[in-house]
Amino acid sequence: MQSSIDFGTRLVDSTEQLPVTLSNAGNGTLTLSGFSTSGAFTASHNCPATLAPNASCIVQITFAPDAVGNHSGVLQLNSDAPGAPPTVALSGAGTANEDQVTHPITTLVPNGGGSISPAAVTVAEGQTQTFSVTPAAGSTLSS
């Protein structure tokens, strides 16, 4: 297996799938008990429970970013191979749809007082959103 896979930048809530080939370069049969993944990554495979010497199978890695930003994870082979379990470092980035822009609402009142509702919202291009701002006790808002 390769040591790392970079999925590049993908739209949030989309998926991208890339294959990884697992080959048994040993002289004995490799007993597989599955794969585990972490982060915004999942794995599916067509690998048999035992992989003969010089045989190979395909593991499909899926990246599904659920938020904007960098994502990292690990694919780990669970088997009877000697030594540390083989791993593949996984990385990718999530980006907003070109029709969506995400801007965090930052503190409008010094020292974090007050509240803004709704605190998070996605607004498509050309749409508007009304926010309700409540200052902290003893504070005032001005335009």
Side-chain angles (χ1 to χ4, degrees):
M1 289 192 311
Q2 57 212 73
S3 62
S4 66
I5 298 174
D6 182 3
F7 283 82
T9 301
R10 301 287 177 239
L11 291 174
V12 168
D13 296 327
S14 69
T15 60
E16 177 72 16
Q17 195 172 63
L18 294 174
V20 174
T21 301
L22 170 65
S23 299
N24 181 0
N27 295 324
T29 300
L30 179 65
T31 302
L32 303 173
S33 56
F35 299 87
S36 59
T37 56
S38 62
F41 304 91
T42 57
S44 61
H45 62 88
N46 69 351
C47 300
T50 57
L51 196 58
N54 300 312
S56 62
C57 62
I58 302 294
V59 180
Q60 293 288 343
I61 309 302
T62 301
F63 174 47
D66 60 356
V68 172
N70 293 324
H71 297 267
S72 62
V74 174
L75 166 69
Q76 179 176 304
L77 167 64
N78 303 313
S79 72
D80 66 350
T87 61
V88 177
L90 306 171
S91 61
T95 188
N97 183 318
E98 59 267 7
D99 293 335
Q100 297 176 338
V101 179
T102 302
H103 293 286
I105 299 172
T106 56
T107 304
L108 296 178
V109 181
N111 302 320
S115 64
I116 301 172
S117 178
V121 66
T122 299
V123 180
E125 184 176 343
Q127 293 182 333
T128 60
Q129 173 68 48
T130 301
F131 293 91
S132 175
V133 179
T134 305
S139 298
T140 59
L141 292 177
S142 62
S143 55

